[in-house]
Amino acid sequence: MRVAIQGTHGAFSEAAARRRWPELEAIPCREVADAVAAVREGRADAGCLPIENSLIGSVTATYDLLHEAFGDGTLALTHETLLPVHHTIMAVPGARVEDIRRVYSHPVALGQCRRWLSKHLPNAELVSAWDTAGSAEMVAAHGDPTEAAIAALPAAAAHGLVPLAERIEDDPTNQTRFLIFSRQGAPAAPAGSGPFKTSLIVSLDHRPGMLAHTLLAFSARGVNLTALQSRPEPSAPWTYRFYVDVEGAATEPRVAEALEEVEALAAQLIILGSYEAWTEGVPSFQIFHPTPAHHVKKPDIPLIDRRRAPQGSIVKVRHLEFGGASPVLIAGPCSVESREMILETADAVASAGGDMLRGGAFKPRTSPYDFQGLGVKGLRYLAEARERTGLPIVTEVLSWEEVPLVAHFADMLQIGARNMQNFSLLRAAARSGVPVLLKRGAGATIEEWLMAAEYVLAEGNPNVVLCERGIRTFERATRHTLDLNAVVLVRERSHLPVVVDPSHAAGVASLVTPLAEASLAAGAAGLIVEVHPNPKQAMSDGPQSLDIPMFIDLARRVHPDLERRKVRPLTA
Ligand code: PEP
Ligand code: MN
């Protein structure tokens, strides 16, 4: 294996390549571009170049070279390595630190030893050289005891120098990442078993959101980014190209799909290669990585089917269990209207014996002129209410773009009736890993509702609670018609817990408690009801909201053992 390296024998690039191939033959090259040429022309089988240092950051010369050298598809990245980097300052035998007037090294190495140099040699001239080992060679050739070189320790012995001080880098964790490349189709080095990374260069039109949409192509599919770097486009001042590293090989379905989308968006996409990621000593950032649903094979029995869990499944939300021994009582206002209002309601819900707090921060309103919710502020107030009362929170998420934000605060994501068949939202909610409360659409059949739940399960998230909230019928005396058939039927067909929202079903507060009791009798695993400290003043759904005394009455009926429960005191 002949590997072109930047620098001479003993250079860090050589040590890095030897981590892969201990027996390699190093082909020294003066510049990074020469290493590329050596591989292109077949004088070397592979090249190894530094790309990023943990102390001083990107090796911009390598980044710029990647664009020039890889654009025509002749070369591809095949490996990466990480090398711990320790520096030694060395000079001719007999030299003393206090006599050194000039220090040679590669600028990257000088940058990594800044603190030691300013402490011990504040007046020395720092001279950039093409290579660390090359500067040791030069100092040896000059034979001048006022000159020193900074290089790896073995370079001292190799050039007849002696170390003056070792490990002089600014931080002991100092390490450099190297990329190894070869000609496409050249005999592949051992492939390894992964995990893999893919590196790309993306050029984008100068329009709002282009970078965001490029990155969304990955995040929407649960593909993790490991590096992002921008470099100027030389011929177009103040425009940039982006270097992106992602987890996964370009052939993996979710990465392939994301790349297809990026290619459609970008002015130019260069795939530099997919290669085995270096894992030794690297913290694992691997997170929830589901396979996209349409790559999942259709199961013989749907995932929601009761036959898969005849005893019924339990969905946990913090300490609560939907489908467990006791019904879960969720209560709170339709909308979070202010900090004071949600804290007051949360205190009342907790002390009355409610189990969980609801409240919309993002509201789906029929009219664009109606109150749309407090957004992020509303989420923060809900989180504060949880801190104070211990009640887990459920809140609605309206669009897939907002899933990461809402999932950051919520213990459970509510998918509203209007969004029941918003499949990209279902997928994104599933991928968040947070339990989902899936409301039935006002015009959705039971079959459509269950298939919407199937989307979440197929995406790898088993924690779905169904919610019957009334359907639209010819009857206008109530807001909707509570379909208790559905509660019983869904329990027969599916193992997923089903809860009932009598508030939206009825639209009138006086009907809520009787419907709640009927729902529990029909086998509901819980209830979600709207409560407001002053329903007449509510900014949404006032007529159907229980006031606090009505809620206390309902809570007593749902949890008849309430007296024995520890009721948290109302706090100021
Ligand atoms: C709500 O819970 O406030 C809500 C908007 O519910 P639905 O989606 O059932 O109409
Ligand atoms: Mn409501």
Side-chain angles (χ1 to χ4, degrees), residues 423-446:
F423 300 118
S424 46
L425 174 60
L426 292 172
R427 284 209 189 97
R431 278 191 217 111
S432 73
V434 174
V436 171
L437 181 71
L438 180 61
K439 288 199 156 192
R440 179 182 179 185
T445 65
I446 291 171

Side-chain angles (χ1 to χ4, degrees), residues 299-367:
D300 298 338
I301 301 178
L303 302 175
I304 50 100
D305 196 294
R306 184 100 197 170
R307 284 171 287 172
R308 288 185 170 269
Q311 71 293 356
S313 50
I314 289 182
V315 172
K316 284 197 169 156
V317 176
R318 294 205 172 213
H319 58 280
L320 301 175
E321 289 188 348
F322 288 87
S326 165
V328 177
L329 178 56
I330 309 171
C334 180
S335 309
V336 179
E337 297 171 5
S338 70
R339 177 173 172 270
E340 292 65 32
M341 172 267 193
I342 191 67
L343 295 184
E344 182 187 348
T345 314
D347 283 357
V349 168
S351 62
D355 299 301
M356 194 161 165
L357 182 67
R358 63 150 288 152
F362 294 92
K363 292 303 300 176
R365 300 307 300 277
T366 303
S367 163

